[in-house]
Amino acid sequence: MTSAILFGSFFGLLFIGVPIGVALAVASLIAITFLPFLNPEFLVQGLVYGLNSFPLLAVILFTVAGNLMSRGGIANRLIKLAEVFLGRSTGGLGIVAIVACMVVASISGTGSATVAAIGLAIIPAMAKKGYDRAFSGALVAAAGGIGVIIPPSVVMIVYAVTAQVSVTDMFLAGLLPGLLIGISLMIYTYIESHRRGYGGSDQKFSKIEISTILRQSFLPLMMPVLILGGIYSGIFTPTESAAVGVVYGLILSVFVYREIKISELYNILLESALLVGVVLVIIGASTAFGRILTLERVPTEIANWVLSTTDSKILILLAILVLLLIVGTFMETLAAIVILTPLLLPIVISLGMSPVHFGIIMIVNLAIGFVTPPLGANLFMAAQVGKVPIEKLSKAVIGFIISMIIAMIIITFVPWFSLAIPELRS
């Protein structure tokens, strides 16, 4: 009864347009009134407990680092470097955009920041070369989803906190899946560019120009090396690496490239705080929501029901993949993780699956939701920066979605992609 009230009030509030974080908190409060052994203080305790986590500080810091990177000229230099080596092939600028998204993803940790940083620079350039703007925007939106798969990833940090697994293990596990998805997007881009007649760039770079571009992109390339190298070598924690990323991005943007003025830092920090504030409200409210589910034994009951219905691991995993694809189309990714992880994790653990592997499956699956309407955060961001109607983008992105789903199925049923690198560490 309480579970029905909890979910009913939550989805009812979403239906009338209440923000997700507020809907989680209000639904929890309504459910608490029907439990005689709880009082409203339980909600407050959940909010405090949910946010009292050191790894969550990295969410704030990586958001700031991503903003500094997108405004400070770092992204433009990385795009230019990729264009030197990849721009002359069929669909060259599209492949350049994907590679740039993968590199920027290893700095920003978020999908929307990656789309904004790369889209503002590459979509107009692709349009000048004759690329369809809808195709260009869809490409950047899809590639931007790699931002939550390639470490460091804000979404991975949230999953690690929710599932109580190592953040470093999650970061290591995301390397090969992120690379696989990037390659699948490149293959589709090459095939579609060949069909549409999108040739490579005819610009030739002299040795002096190549040398200059390499020199200018050296410091930006050191940013992911510094962040990820520090984490994997054990010099600092993922949270500390986020602070290092902020300091490094600040030095490059303000003092080396001088593309950000000191007076602009306040607005950058304010914008980052507003963005992170929404995320933290969702995380805090979902903690109370999840604790009520646990008290009502909902995760255990669901796991028992699923396992009693079928003992086929393949069927269960396929059902979970379909569920996550559907959820990703209408629910914000972080909210989906903090709500569904306690429900689904007991099921996959009973099947013998590693919680780290399942985390990658979940994140990859929900990342596809970034480019699927009606939510499609990356799709709306690409529409805004590329000045393309969302209806055209929704059609152009279908091929990219299919290529991502193929990669997701491989990642799901071939655990090696997710566990090979973490197992080297243990």
Side-chain angles (χ1 to χ4, degrees), residues 12-81:
L13 290 166
L14 288 182
F15 182 76
I16 63 175
V18 176
I20 291 176
V22 177
L24 285 167
V26 174
S28 301
L29 186 60
I30 293 172
I32 286 171
T33 60
F34 287 87
L35 293 171
F37 53 88
L38 294 180
N39 58 55
E41 292 180 3
F42 184 83
L43 174 61
V44 178
Q45 292 170 353
L47 288 168
V48 175
Y49 178 81
L51 297 177
N52 187 24
S53 173
F54 182 66
L56 286 182
L57 181 60
V59 175
I60 302 171
L61 295 173
F62 276 129
T63 302
V64 176
N67 259 342
L68 290 171
M69 174 209 63
S70 63
R71 296 192 184 188
I74 297 174
N76 287 334
R77 287 168 172 79
L78 293 175
I79 291 174
K80 197 67 176 177
L81 176 65

Side-chain angles (χ1 to χ4, degrees), residues 60 63-74 245-256 258-274:
I60 302 171
T63 302
V64 176
N67 259 342
L68 290 171
M69 174 209 63
S70 63
R71 296 192 184 188
I74 297 174
V246 170
V247 174
Y248 191 82
L250 184 66
I251 292 173
L252 286 187
S253 302
V254 177
F255 301 105
V256 178
R258 298 182 181 180
E259 295 195 19
I260 294 179
K261 298 178 182 178
I262 296 290
S263 59
E264 296 175 330
L265 290 177
Y266 173 80
N267 287 332
I268 291 175
L269 293 174
L270 178 61
E271 181 180 310
S272 301
L274 292 174

Side-chain angles (χ1 to χ4, degrees), residues 37-222:
F37 53 88
L38 294 180
N39 58 55
E41 292 180 3
F42 184 83
L43 174 61
V44 178
Q45 292 170 353
L47 288 168
V48 175
Y49 178 81
L51 297 177
N52 187 24
S53 173
F54 182 66
L56 286 182
L57 181 60
V59 175
I60 302 171
L61 295 173
F62 276 129
T63 302
V64 176
N67 259 342
L68 290 171
M69 174 209 63
S70 63
R71 296 192 184 188
I74 297 174
N76 287 334
R77 287 168 172 79
L78 293 175
I79 291 174
K80 197 67 176 177
L81 176 65
E83 189 176 356
V84 169
F85 295 101
L86 301 169
R88 293 178 62 83
S89 63
T90 299
L93 273 182
I95 296 174
V96 165
I98 295 170
V99 172
C101 282
M102 293 173 70
V103 176
V104 170
S106 67
I107 303 172
S108 69
T110 60
S112 57
T114 302
V115 173
I118 300 302
L120 285 170
I122 202 72
I123 294 177
M126 292 177 72
K128 289 181 180 178
K129 294 293 183 180
Y131 287 77
D132 177 65
R133 291 189 79 95
F135 175 80
S136 305
L139 184 153
V140 173
I146 302 175
V148 300
I149 302 167
I150 289 183
S153 163
V154 169
V155 174
M156 281 186 182
I157 296 170
V158 175
Y159 173 82
V161 171
T162 305
Q164 297 183 344
V165 298
S166 166
V167 175
T168 302
D169 282 348
M170 287 301 302
F171 280 3
L172 288 168
L175 288 171
L176 291 180
L179 182 62
L180 177 62
I181 292 176
I183 292 173
S184 70
L185 293 177
M186 289 181 204
I187 292 173
Y188 174 75
T189 298
Y190 178 86
I191 294 172
E192 188 65 11
S193 296
H194 182 75
R195 186 182 72 83
R196 296 182 180 218
Y198 299 151
S201 171
D202 54 3
Q203 181 178 1
K204 294 183 179 180
F205 296 91
S206 65
K207 291 183 179 179
I208 295 177
E209 288 175 325
I210 293 175
S211 175
T212 301
I213 292 171
L214 285 171
R215 187 173 63 254
Q216 290 176 344
S217 58
F218 176 77
L219 291 178
L221 283 175
M222 286 300 100

